[in-house]
Amino acid sequence: MHGWIILDKPLGLGSTQGVSAVKRALRQGGYGKFKVGHGGTLDPLATGVLPIAVGEATKLAGRMLDSDKIYDFTVMFGVQTDTLDGEGVPIARSDVRPTLAAVEAVLGRFTGPISQVPPAYSALKVDGERAYDLARAGHEVVLASRDVTIHSLRSSPAVEGGPAQLVEGGFRERNDSGAPPSPPAQADGGPPPGSGEELQDVTLTAHVSKGTYIRSLARDIALALGTVGHVTMLRRIKAGPFDLSAAISLDKLDELAKASALEDVLLPLRVALDDIPALSLTPDQAGALRQGRILAGIAADDGQYFAELDAVPVALVEVEDGDVRVVRGFNL
C-alpha cells in the first residue's frame, strides 16, 4: 500500500481528520500500519480534493504543497466577516451590489502575478504563534503581503449538487456558546443573471499557485467592485495532478475498508510526479542508487527524473552533467 487515496473532503472535516480516516480504513481492512499524510491542508469549511499519501508516497507529500490548485468559490456581496468566510462575524457592510459585467471586468486585475495579504484567520505563524490563535484571542494580526500567481480566473455557473452548497447563503451569527449555528438552507435556484442585473453573489473558478488564499482573493475582488464580500462556498476541484474524478467520499472509504478493497482506489506513487520524465535503470544502477551512490555517464538531459526498475519506483533523482544523484529514495 504505497500510493495515493484521494478524498472528496466533506464540509467540517479537517485535513488531519482526513488522514485519521485513512489510517482507520487501513487498520479496518487489515492492511497493517503505514505512514499516512496529506498533500496540503484544506480548511474545514472547504470541500473537495484532499490527496492522502500512504506509505512511501508520504515522501512526496511535500511536493504537493508546491503544486497548483483549482477552486470553485462563491463570493457573497454586502458583508465582510472577520474570517472572510461564512463562519465569522460581520465587520463591514455595503449596499453596493455589482453586475456580472462589472465582476468580469475586474477579474483581469487579479489574473497573473499579484500581491495579496493573507487572512488574519490563517495558519501562518506570527512570532511563533498561529495567526488564527492570536486573532481568536482578540489580538490585532497584521500579516505581510505575499506574491502569488493566478493562472486563470473566470465566472462560473453555480456549482450544482454536492456538499459545497451547504455553506452558501451568507454569514452565520455566533450563538451563546460561540459556535456558529447550522448553515442556512440553499435558496432556490433560477436562471443565471443577466450581465446588467445586480448580484447578491457570484461563483468563480480560479487556477492558482501555491500559497494563494481564496478568501483574500474574494475580499479583494469585492473591494475592487466598490463593495465588501466574503466566501460562502469553497470547493477544491484539483490539486496538482489529482482531480475530483479520482476522489471518493468517506462513506466509500469505509465501504472499501470493510471489503478489504482499498487497493481498488489506491493511485500509484508515480501519479504525483506526472510532470517528471521516467528514467529506466538496470538492476546494477538501481542497486547503486539504493545505496546512495552517484551514477556517472548517464545519457540524459539535466533535470529531475523518476528513476524506476521494471516499473518499480527506485528514487526521485537529479541529473546534472551526466551524473545522477538521489533526491528522494523509495524503499520498495
Side-chain angles (χ1 to χ4, degrees):
M1 296 296 289
H2 301 282
W4 301 88
I5 292 176
I6 313 305
L7 295 183
D8 186 348
K9 190 188 81 65
L11 190 70
L13 188 82
S15 298
T16 54
Q17 291 172 297
V19 169
S20 297
V22 171
K23 286 182 177 179
R24 285 194 302 272
L26 289 168
R27 290 196 301 269
Q28 186 175 18
Y31 292 95
K33 293 188 66 174
F34 289 88
K35 289 184 178 180
V36 181
H38 61 75
T41 57
L42 191 57
D43 288 348
L45 287 181
T47 67
V49 174
L50 179 62
I52 303 294
V54 180
E56 289 296 282
T58 56
K59 294 178 178 179
L60 299 175
R63 291 179 58 85
M64 292 302 302
L65 301 177
D66 294 333
S67 64
D68 290 350
K69 315 290 191 305
I70 301 179
Y71 296 91
D72 285 335
F73 64 104
T74 298
V75 186
M76 174 164 283
F77 299 112
V79 176
Q80 181 174 319
T81 68
D82 56 356
T83 60
L84 302 181
D85 59 27
E87 190 175 45
V89 296
I91 58 172
R93 297 180 184 270
S94 172
D95 293 329
V96 175
R97 300 293 184 272
T99 64
L100 181 58
V103 171
E104 292 181 337
V106 304
L107 295 184
R109 301 189 207 172
F110 298 95
T111 304
I114 67 169
S115 180
Q116 67 171 198
V117 176
Y121 285 81
S122 67
L124 296 176
K125 288 191 174 182
V126 179
D127 296 330
E129 295 190 61
R130 297 290 184 187
Y132 54 66
D133 288 332
L134 295 172
R136 288 168 184 158
H139 298 287
E140 182 179 1
V141 178
V142 179
L143 297 173
S145 63
R146 56 168 56 189
D147 295 329
V148 298
T149 300
I150 312 298
H151 300 291
S152 66
L153 179 63
R154 59 181 175 83
S155 58
S156 305
V159 177
E160 296 291 342
Q165 286 192 328
L166 293 176
V167 291
E168 293 187 345
F171 66 87
R172 290 172 270 166
E173 300 284 2
R174 299 188 191 280
N175 57 30
D176 292 340
S177 68
S182 300
Q186 167 74 9
D188 291 338
S195 62
E197 180 182 338
E198 291 186 346
L199 303 176
Q200 296 300 314
D201 57 43
V202 67
T203 299
L204 306 172
T205 298
H207 176 192
V208 303
S209 70
K210 69 172 183 177
T212 301
Y213 282 91
I214 298 298
R215 287 176 291 154
S216 294
L217 181 61
R219 172 200 62 203
D220 296 343
I221 289 172
L223 291 173
L225 290 163
T227 185
V228 293
H230 67 280
V231 170
T232 58
M233 184 278 289
L234 178 60
R235 183 160 175 78
R236 188 156 69 190
I237 59 177
K238 190 171 185 182
F242 304 117
D243 59 27
L244 287 170
S245 67
I248 62 170
S249 67
L250 291 182
D251 286 344
K252 183 66 174 178
L253 178 72
D254 184 61
E255 175 188 322
L256 292 169
K258 290 177 180 176
S260 297
L262 289 175
E263 57 269 27
D264 291 350
V265 293
L266 185 74
L267 300 180
L269 182 150
R270 173 77 172 90
V271 176
L273 301 173
D274 66 343
D275 58 333
I276 296 178
L279 180 66
S280 296
L281 303 172
T282 66
D284 287 344
Q285 290 171 333
L289 287 181
R290 285 172 174 147
Q291 295 171 10
R293 290 154 53 192
I294 297 174
L295 299 181
I298 300 300
D301 294 333
D302 289 356
Q304 286 197 338
Y305 290 82
F306 185 78
E308 56 186 5
L309 172 64
D310 298 330
V312 176
V314 174
L316 176 66
V317 299
E318 185 82 30
V319 177
E320 184 177 3
D321 295 332
D323 290 343
V324 179
R325 291 176 172 83
V326 173
V327 175
R328 183 73 69 179
F330 306 117
N331 297 318
L332 298 171

